Amino acid sequence: MSKLVAPSVLAADFANIQRDVEMINNSEADWFHIDIMDGVFVPNISFGMPVMKAIKKHATKPLDVHLMIVNPDQYIKTFKEIGADILTVHYEACTHLHRTIQAIKAEGMQAGVALNPHTPVAVLEDIVQELDLVCIMSVNPGFGGQSFIENTYTKVQQLKNLITFKGCETKIEIDGGVTNQNANNLVEVGADVLVAGSYVFGAEDPIATVKELKTMIN
């Protein structure tokens, strides 16, 4: 299975969102990664439904939507309606995680769970086989451009071992601080999807940067 690259739209130029979406369409990227933040679960507010609708209008690749919000259950149907293909909720925000995952799947989306840097992989032991994706936060959620947390490698190895033990095909996604300096190491320990924001959108040639990253990990 080829490894995937998902540029994070949080790092795009919001004044030129159509241009940046079309740039990703024309690149070798696999998904759009879209961070929805509410200023409550994380200390930042990104964008909501109108901006995501605008992205969906121009995007030709799947929308990988990462909800960094409290009470995600009440928005599951809405995110399906506005174009989410994959919907990831935070373990730390869901009291009844199994119910939330079933609700996402009932809407026809792939279901993911994200773990904050302090949350151990073991909390997913009883649900990992239900998941299409686990997103390991390799920075503290809320802001782009942060430094990569080195303990991420250990967590990815632990998660890969759990997935293998359970005999499931859950993808491992890494979100935060991904560059050409750590991409290979992440894939070697088990990552399947790399989210890259500042590294892609801050590059002189984002299309070439995506191509380099994609070639490097495959």
Side-chain angles (χ1 to χ4, degrees), residues 59-135:
T60 58
K61 297 177 179 184
L63 301 190
D64 169 33
V65 180
H66 178 188
L67 300 185
M68 298 186 223
I69 64 175
V70 297
N71 302 323
D73 298 61
Q74 65 183 319
Y75 299 107
I76 290 171
K77 284 182 181 292
T78 303
F79 278 104
K80 170 62 177 177
E81 287 166 4
I82 62 175
D85 297 288
I86 305 148
L87 195 65
T88 295
V89 295
H90 265 264
Y91 169 84
E92 302 84 4
C94 296
T95 306
H96 304 286
L97 184 59
H98 186 271
R99 181 186 297 159
T100 303
I101 294 305
Q102 295 307 310
I104 293 170
K105 292 192 165 190
E107 293 296 327
M109 294 177 284
Q110 291 186 50
V113 170
L115 297 181
N116 279 340
H118 73 280
T119 304
V121 164
V123 298
L124 298 179
E125 192 172 326
D126 293 328
I127 200 169
V128 70
Q129 62 268 33
E130 306 283 340
L131 306 176
D132 297 292
L133 181 83
V134 174
C135 177

Side-chain angles (χ1 to χ4, degrees), residues 57-217:
K57 183 178 174 184
H58 301 288
T60 58
K61 297 177 179 184
L63 301 190
D64 169 33
V65 180
H66 178 188
L67 300 185
M68 298 186 223
I69 64 175
V70 297
N71 302 323
D73 298 61
Q74 65 183 319
Y75 299 107
I76 290 171
K77 284 182 181 292
T78 303
F79 278 104
K80 170 62 177 177
E81 287 166 4
I82 62 175
D85 297 288
I86 305 148
L87 195 65
T88 295
V89 295
H90 265 264
Y91 169 84
E92 302 84 4
C94 296
T95 306
H96 304 286
L97 184 59
H98 186 271
R99 181 186 297 159
T100 303
I101 294 305
Q102 295 307 310
I104 293 170
K105 292 192 165 190
E107 293 296 327
M109 294 177 284
Q110 291 186 50
V113 170
L115 297 181
N116 279 340
H118 73 280
T119 304
V121 164
V123 298
L124 298 179
E125 192 172 326
D126 293 328
I127 200 169
V128 70
Q129 62 268 33
E130 306 283 340
L131 306 176
D132 297 292
L133 181 83
V134 174
C135 177
I136 298 289
M137 294 303 301
S138 43
V139 299
N140 284 294
F143 297 92
Q146 297 181 67
S147 298
F148 180 84
I149 295 172
E150 293 294 322
N151 187 54
T152 303
Y153 297 119
T154 302
K155 286 184 78 167
V156 174
Q157 283 180 312
Q158 291 169 342
L159 179 57
K160 188 67 176 178
N161 290 341
L162 177 60
I163 289 167
T164 302
F165 177 74
K166 293 285 186 176
C168 48
E169 297 184 4
T170 310
K171 288 185 176 69
I172 300 174
E173 178 175 76
I174 311 300
D175 185 1
V178 171
T179 70
N180 60 355
Q181 300 299 304
N182 54 24
N184 266 340
N185 292 338
L186 287 165
V187 166
E188 281 173 13
V189 292
D192 302 296
V193 185
L194 300 183
V195 175
S198 309
Y199 180 67
V200 169
F201 287 101
E204 278 190 30
D205 187 342
I207 288 181
T209 300
V210 170
K211 182 181 177 67
E212 176 201 22
L213 205 53
K214 184 84 175 162
T215 303
M216 178 183 293
I217 61 177

